[in-house]
Amino acid sequence: MFGKKSLTLSAAAVTAAVSSLLATPAAHASARDTAVGHYVALGDSYTAGPGIPNQTDADCGRSDRNYPTLTAAARTVAAFTDVSCAGATTANMTGAQGAAPPQLDALRPETDLVTLGIGGNDINVSGIIGRCVILGRLDPGGSPCKASYTLAGIDQLAGRIAATGDKIDAVLQEIRRRSPGADVLVVGYPVIMPDDGSNCYATVPIAKGDAPWLRDVEKRLNTMLATRAAAGGARFVDTYTGSVGHDLCKPLGVRWMEPMEGVDSVGLHPNASGHQAMSTAVLTAVDAARR
C-alpha cells in the first residue's frame, strides 16, 4: 500500500468557458457546479498507481492513469497537484518521505478539492499479507495468521487501526487549517481478497481460514476511515463495495486488484481498471457536493 503535476486552462478551455456564458441556465449551472479551482491528491501507493504506465515519478510510483489524474481529466479543473507516493504513511503528510517533501505542503488556502487515500501503511498491510503468505504455506487449511495476530486474546490489528484513526484525525485537522474551504474526500481501499471469504491458494497462498479474516481486517480499516472522515468534517468515498467481484483471485480482464505476481500493476495493488473504478467513485462524490 502500500508501497506535480499542474494542469492549467488551455485556450480551448477558456473559449469553452466564455461560450458557456451563452448557454442555457441549466447547462451553465452544471458546468459551474462541477468546476474545481485547485485539486490536490494525497495518498499512498493505492493512490499513486505503481507499475501502471506511464509512470510520471519513479521514486513514488506515480502513474498518469491513477484515479486522481483520471478524476482531474474528467472535470473542469483549473489546477491539479498529485503528490501521492508509494509507501506513504500519515507521518508523510507533514514530514518528508525521502526526497519527496511533506504532502500537505501542496495545499494552498484556495485549494477547493482534496482527496486523501492513506492508512494502509500505518497498519502495515503489506507486512500483514506477507506474514499470512508465509504461515499459509505451513498450514493451508487453518487460520495461522489470524492466530499469530491475536495471541493471548489481544487483537494487535484492532490496536493498530485505532491508533491510525487518531493520526487520520490529525491529518484532517491540518488539511482544514491549510485549506479551510476545501471539500475533503477520504478515499477508502478497494477489495483485495474475495468478499465471500474464499481464497485462491494457487495464486496467493493464504490459508483457508485466514482469507475471510483478512477481508474483515480491510473492512475494519475502511470503517475506521469512514468514521474519522465524518468526525473530521470530510466525506468518505467507498471504493470497496463497487469493486466486489473484481478481487485478486479473478482472472485477467475481470480483476481490478493484481495478485502477488502483478501483470498490469505492482502486485497486490489496483490495476488501471481498478483506478478507473476508483475515479468513478470519487467523481460521484465530487458531483454530489456540487449539485
Side-chain angles (χ1 to χ4, degrees):
M1 267 168 190
F2 302 175
K4 284 170 190 124
K5 148 188 227 190
S6 295
L7 300 178
T8 55
L9 285 173
S10 64
V14 173
T15 300
V18 173
S19 298
S20 72
L21 295 174
L22 304 177
T24 64
H28 179 64
S30 175
R32 180 192 65 227
D33 291 348
T34 57
V36 176
H38 182 219
Y39 167 28
V40 175
L42 313 167
D44 58 27
S45 58
Y46 268 51
T47 300
I52 301 174
N54 298 302
Q55 292 283 292
T56 60
D57 187 319
D59 291 337
C60 282
R62 194 179 307 133
S63 171
D64 64 1
R65 294 167 67 195
N66 63 11
Y67 75 79
T69 306
L70 296 174
T71 298
R75 292 296 180 269
T76 304
V77 176
F80 168 50
T81 309
D82 183 359
V83 290
S84 59
C85 195
T89 69
T90 52
N92 300 122
M93 298 300 102
T94 55
Q97 182 183 357
Q103 292 193 23
L104 295 190
D105 286 359
L107 297 174
R108 308 173 189 165
E110 69 272 18
T111 299
D112 55 359
L113 175 63
V114 177
T115 54
L116 172 68
I118 204 72
N121 289 323
D122 289 82
I123 72 166
N124 193 19
V125 167
S126 60
I128 295 166
I129 294 176
R131 181 191 292 192
C132 288
V133 166
I134 293 171
L135 295 177
R137 296 184 188 279
L138 301 176
D139 184 11
S143 52
C145 198
K146 176 182 178 180
S148 74
Y149 281 106
T150 54
L151 292 174
I154 299 173
D155 189 335
Q156 297 177 37
L157 300 189
R160 290 187 193 179
I161 291 172
T164 300
D166 294 338
K167 298 171 184 177
I168 296 292
D169 289 346
V171 171
L172 292 175
Q173 290 171 9
E174 186 61 15
I175 291 173
R176 187 63 64 203
R177 186 187 72 80
R178 299 189 188 206
S179 301
D183 180 15
V184 182
L185 303 179
V186 176
V187 182
Y189 292 97
V191 67
I192 301 175
M193 298 296 296
D195 186 65
D196 64 5
S198 62
N199 66 341
C200 47
Y201 191 83
T203 302
V204 181
I206 290 173
K208 183 176 182 179
D210 284 332
W213 173 76
L214 269 175
R215 171 206 61 196
D216 290 344
V217 168
E218 183 183 6
K219 287 187 173 184
R220 286 158 61 192
L221 173 61
N222 277 330
T223 297
M224 178 275 287
L225 291 172
T227 300
R228 300 297 182 147
R235 294 185 293 134
F236 179 72
V237 179
D238 174 15
T239 64
Y240 186 99
T241 301
S243 62
V244 170
H246 299 279
D247 53 79
L248 58 75
C249 288
K250 298 300 185 290
L252 186 67
V254 177
R255 66 180 182 242
W256 295 347
M257 182 69 57
E258 290 297 297
M260 293 180 69
E261 299 298 327
V263 176
D264 291 334
S265 74
V266 169
L268 303 176
H269 282 73
N271 55 31
S273 295
H275 276 272
Q276 182 64 68
M278 294 172 79
S279 174
T280 298
V282 171
L283 286 166
T284 298
V286 169
D287 292 348
R290 286 168 165 73
R291 287 196 183 101

mmCIF file of all heavy atoms in Angstrom, residues 13 15-16 24 40 52 58 71 85 89 91 93 117 146 151 168 171 185 191 199 206 212 216-217 265 278 287:
data_model
loop_
_atom_site.group_PDB
_atom_site.id
_atom_site.type_symbol
_atom_site.label_atom_id
_atom_site.label_comp_id
_atom_site.label_asym_id
_atom_site.label_seq_id
_atom_site.Cartn_x
_atom_site.Cartn_y
_atom_site.Cartn_z
ATOM 1 N N ALA A 13 -10.086 25.636 -23.415
ATOM 2 C CA ALA A 13 -10.917 25.623 -22.209
ATOM 3 C C ALA A 13 -11.457 27.008 -21.921
ATOM 4 O O ALA A 13 -12.602 27.181 -21.484
ATOM 5 C CB ALA A 13 -10.115 25.101 -21.031
ATOM 6 N N THR A 15 -12.029 29.347 -24.151
ATOM 7 C CA THR A 15 -13.068 29.593 -25.137
ATOM 8 C C THR A 15 -14.369 28.914 -24.736
ATOM 9 O O THR A 15 -15.451 29.490 -24.833
ATOM 10 C CB THR A 15 -12.628 29.068 -26.516
ATOM 11 O OG1 THR A 15 -11.437 29.745 -26.894
ATOM 12 C CG2 THR A 15 -13.709 29.303 -27.563
ATOM 13 N N ALA A 16 -14.234 27.674 -24.240
ATOM 14 C CA ALA A 16 -15.419 26.940 -23.805
ATOM 15 C C ALA A 16 -16.096 27.636 -22.643
ATOM 16 O O ALA A 16 -17.316 27.679 -22.544
ATOM 17 C CB ALA A 16 -15.028 25.508 -23.420
ATOM 18 N N THR A 24 -27.621 27.662 -21.960
ATOM 19 C CA THR A 24 -28.854 27.725 -21.182
ATOM 20 C C THR A 24 -28.519 27.771 -19.716
ATOM 21 O O THR A 24 -27.452 27.305 -19.283
ATOM 22 C CB THR A 24 -29.713 26.486 -21.451
ATOM 23 O OG1 THR A 24 -28.998 25.341 -20.990
ATOM 24 C CG2 THR A 24 -30.018 26.335 -22.929
ATOM 25 N N VAL A 40 -5.928 18.850 -5.040
ATOM 26 C CA VAL A 40 -4.713 18.228 -4.538
ATOM 27 C C VAL A 40 -5.006 16.779 -4.161
ATOM 28 O O VAL A 40 -5.943 16.499 -3.402
ATOM 29 C CB VAL A 40 -4.156 18.978 -3.312
ATOM 30 C CG1 VAL A 40 -2.956 18.227 -2.722
ATOM 31 C CG2 VAL A 40 -3.748 20.390 -3.693
ATOM 32 N N ILE A 52 1.753 1.007 -13.185
ATOM 33 C CA ILE A 52 0.806 1.295 -14.262
ATOM 34 C C ILE A 52 1.434 2.347 -15.186
ATOM 35 O O ILE A 52 1.784 3.435 -14.749
ATOM 36 C CB ILE A 52 -0.526 1.835 -13.703
ATOM 37 C CG1 ILE A 52 -1.155 0.824 -12.738
ATOM 38 C CG2 ILE A 52 -1.495 2.164 -14.835
ATOM 39 C CD1 ILE A 52 -2.384 1.346 -12.031
ATOM 40 N N ALA A 58 9.178 7.966 -10.772
ATOM 41 C CA ALA A 58 9.659 6.619 -10.467
ATOM 42 C C ALA A 58 9.856 6.401 -8.976
ATOM 43 O O ALA A 58 9.620 5.302 -8.454
ATOM 44 C CB ALA A 58 10.970 6.350 -11.205
ATOM 45 N N THR A 71 -9.624 11.557 -12.475
ATOM 46 C CA THR A 71 -10.650 12.427 -11.909
ATOM 47 C C THR A 71 -10.476 13.857 -12.403
ATOM 48 O O THR A 71 -11.437 14.516 -12.818
ATOM 49 C CB THR A 71 -10.591 12.380 -10.374
ATOM 50 O OG1 THR A 71 -10.862 11.039 -9.928
ATOM 51 C CG2 THR A 71 -11.599 13.328 -9.742
ATOM 52 N N CYS A 85 2.360 9.073 -3.052
ATOM 53 C CA CYS A 85 3.669 8.408 -3.116
ATOM 54 C C CYS A 85 3.599 7.029 -2.475
ATOM 55 O O CYS A 85 3.090 6.878 -1.355
ATOM 56 C CB CYS A 85 4.704 9.265 -2.394
ATOM 57 S SG CYS A 85 6.425 8.802 -2.736
ATOM 58 N N THR A 89 2.887 7.089 4.694
ATOM 59 C CA THR A 89 2.068 6.915 5.885
ATOM 60 C C THR A 89 1.515 8.281 6.275
ATOM 61 O O THR A 89 1.838 9.296 5.653
ATOM 62 C CB THR A 89 2.881 6.348 7.061
ATOM 63 O OG1 THR A 89 3.825 7.355 7.498
ATOM 64 C CG2 THR A 89 3.640 5.093 6.668
ATOM 65 N N ALA A 91 2.485 9.966 8.629
ATOM 66 C CA ALA A 91 3.636 10.794 9.009
ATOM 67 C C ALA A 91 4.163 11.590 7.830
ATOM 68 O O ALA A 91 4.735 12.677 8.004
ATOM 69 C CB ALA A 91 4.747 9.929 9.592
ATOM 70 N N MET A 93 2.458 13.042 5.617
ATOM 71 C CA MET A 93 1.610 14.184 5.301
ATOM 72 C C MET A 93 2.285 15.477 5.773
ATOM 73 O O MET A 93 2.210 16.509 5.104
ATOM 74 C CB MET A 93 0.234 14.031 5.947
ATOM 75 C CG MET A 93 -0.561 12.814 5.483
ATOM 76 S SD MET A 93 -0.904 12.790 3.697
ATOM 77 C CE MET A 93 0.314 11.604 3.122
ATOM 78 N N GLY A 117 -5.974 9.331 0.409
ATOM 79 C CA GLY A 117 -6.013 7.874 0.496
ATOM 80 C C GLY A 117 -4.825 7.387 1.308
ATOM 81 O O GLY A 117 -3.728 7.222 0.768
ATOM 82 N N LYS A 146 -4.239 -15.305 11.496
ATOM 83 C CA LYS A 146 -5.156 -14.734 12.490
ATOM 84 C C LYS A 146 -4.684 -15.075 13.893
ATOM 85 O O LYS A 146 -4.651 -14.214 14.779
ATOM 86 C CB LYS A 146 -6.564 -15.257 12.267
ATOM 87 C CG LYS A 146 -7.562 -14.786 13.309
ATOM 88 C CD LYS A 146 -8.936 -15.383 13.069
ATOM 89 C CE LYS A 146 -9.922 -14.938 14.149
ATOM 90 N NZ LYS A 146 -11.273 -15.525 13.922
ATOM 91 N N LEU A 151 -2.656 -13.396 19.690
ATOM 92 C CA LEU A 151 -2.088 -14.178 20.780
ATOM 93 C C LEU A 151 -2.542 -13.637 22.127
ATOM 94 O O LEU A 151 -2.661 -12.424 22.319
ATOM 95 C CB LEU A 151 -0.551 -14.159 20.701
ATOM 96 C CG LEU A 151 0.075 -14.905 19.516
ATOM 97 C CD1 LEU A 151 1.574 -14.673 19.493
ATOM 98 C CD2 LEU A 151 -0.238 -16.393 19.593
ATOM 99 N N ILE A 168 -5.275 9.916 11.529
ATOM 100 C CA ILE A 168 -6.145 10.437 10.478
ATOM 101 C C ILE A 168 -6.814 11.722 10.961
ATOM 102 O O ILE A 168 -6.927 12.713 10.218
ATOM 103 C CB ILE A 168 -7.206 9.397 10.072
ATOM 104 C CG1 ILE A 168 -6.556 8.145 9.455
ATOM 105 C CG2 ILE A 168 -8.242 10.015 9.121
ATOM 106 C CD1 ILE A 168 -5.903 8.371 8.112
ATOM 107 N N VAL A 171 -4.394 14.547 10.606
ATOM 108 C CA VAL A 171 -4.187 14.932 9.206
ATOM 109 C C VAL A 171 -5.359 15.776 8.709
ATOM 110 O O VAL A 171 -5.170 16.816 8.060
ATOM 111 C CB VAL A 171 -4.015 13.684 8.316
ATOM 112 C CG1 VAL A 171 -4.019 14.070 6.830
ATOM 113 C CG2 VAL A 171 -2.716 12.957 8.658
ATOM 114 N N LEU A 185 -12.196 14.632 0.612
ATOM 115 C CA LEU A 185 -12.704 13.279 0.412
ATOM 116 C C LEU A 185 -11.669 12.271 0.895
ATOM 117 O O LEU A 185 -10.536 12.259 0.407
ATOM 118 C CB LEU A 185 -12.999 13.025 -1.068
ATOM 119 C CG LEU A 185 -13.978 13.987 -1.759
ATOM 120 C CD1 LEU A 185 -14.132 13.600 -3.228
ATOM 121 C CD2 LEU A 185 -15.316 13.989 -1.061
ATOM 122 N N VAL A 191 -11.570 -3.670 -2.799
ATOM 123 C CA VAL A 191 -11.487 -5.077 -2.419
ATOM 124 C C VAL A 191 -10.121 -5.669 -2.804
ATOM 125 O O VAL A 191 -9.598 -5.397 -3.883
ATOM 126 C CB VAL A 191 -12.637 -5.873 -3.071
ATOM 127 C CG1 VAL A 191 -12.483 -5.940 -4.578
ATOM 128 C CG2 VAL A 191 -12.753 -7.260 -2.473
ATOM 129 N N ASN A 199 -10.682 -18.178 -0.930
ATOM 130 C CA ASN A 199 -9.294 -17.858 -1.262
ATOM 131 C C ASN A 199 -8.925 -18.525 -2.579
ATOM 132 O O ASN A 199 -9.716 -19.290 -3.151
ATOM 133 C CB ASN A 199 -8.340 -18.291 -0.146
ATOM 134 C CG ASN A 199 -8.288 -19.807 0.025
ATOM 135 O OD1 ASN A 199 -9.194 -20.512 -0.419
ATOM 136 N ND2 ASN A 199 -7.241 -20.314 0.676
ATOM 137 N N ILE A 206 -2.645 -18.007 0.826
ATOM 138 C CA ILE A 206 -3.164 -17.617 2.137
ATOM 139 C C ILE A 206 -4.089 -18.725 2.626
ATOM 140 O O ILE A 206 -4.909 -19.246 1.859
ATOM 141 C CB ILE A 206 -3.898 -16.264 2.042
ATOM 142 C CG1 ILE A 206 -2.877 -15.150 1.785
ATOM 143 C CG2 ILE A 206 -4.714 -15.969 3.290
ATOM 144 C CD1 ILE A 206 -3.483 -13.796 1.502
ATOM 145 N N PRO A 212 -11.047 -15.052 4.971
ATOM 146 C CA PRO A 212 -12.137 -14.185 5.447
ATOM 147 C C PRO A 212 -11.686 -13.235 6.544
ATOM 148 O O PRO A 212 -12.211 -12.126 6.666
ATOM 149 C CB PRO A 212 -13.191 -15.177 5.958
ATOM 150 C CG PRO A 212 -12.431 -16.433 6.243
ATOM 151 C CD PRO A 212 -11.330 -16.460 5.226
ATOM 152 N N ASP A 216 -11.952 -9.122 6.511
ATOM 153 C CA ASP A 216 -12.556 -8.350 7.596
ATOM 154 C C ASP A 216 -11.604 -7.290 8.150
ATOM 155 O O ASP A 216 -12.046 -6.234 8.594
ATOM 156 C CB ASP A 216 -13.018 -9.279 8.714
ATOM 157 C CG ASP A 216 -14.217 -10.128 8.298
ATOM 158 O OD1 ASP A 216 -14.858 -9.788 7.275
ATOM 159 O OD2 ASP A 216 -14.511 -11.126 8.989
ATOM 160 N N VAL A 217 -10.308 -7.563 8.120
ATOM 161 C CA VAL A 217 -9.339 -6.547 8.556
ATOM 162 C C VAL A 217 -9.442 -5.329 7.646
ATOM 163 O O VAL A 217 -9.466 -4.184 8.106
ATOM 164 C CB VAL A 217 -7.897 -7.108 8.536
ATOM 165 C CG1 VAL A 217 -6.874 -5.983 8.698
ATOM 166 C CG2 VAL A 217 -7.718 -8.138 9.653
ATOM 167 N N SER A 265 -0.055 -4.051 -12.899
ATOM 168 C CA SER A 265 0.430 -3.094 -11.897
ATOM 169 C C SER A 265 1.336 -3.863 -10.960
ATOM 170 O O SER A 265 1.528 -5.066 -11.112
ATOM 171 C CB SER A 265 -0.727 -2.454 -11.109
ATOM 172 O OG SER A 265 -1.282 -3.379 -10.191
ATOM 173 N N MET A 278 -12.133 3.471 -9.206
ATOM 174 C CA MET A 278 -11.970 4.360 -8.058
ATOM 175 C C MET A 278 -12.257 5.800 -8.455
ATOM 176 O O MET A 278 -12.885 6.563 -7.709
ATOM 177 C CB MET A 278 -10.561 4.214 -7.479
ATOM 178 C CG MET A 278 -10.300 2.847 -6.864
ATOM 179 S SD MET A 278 -8.568 2.583 -6.395
ATOM 180 C CE MET A 278 -8.499 3.504 -4.851
ATOM 181 N N ASP A 287 -19.396 15.287 -7.683
ATOM 182 C CA ASP A 287 -20.585 15.844 -8.305
ATOM 183 C C ASP A 287 -21.736 15.997 -7.316
ATOM 184 O O ASP A 287 -22.518 16.943 -7.390
ATOM 185 C CB ASP A 287 -21.021 14.959 -9.476
ATOM 186 C CG ASP A 287 -20.033 14.987 -10.627
ATOM 187 O OD1 ASP A 287 -19.137 15.857 -10.617
ATOM 188 O OD2 ASP A 287 -20.137 14.135 -11.526
#
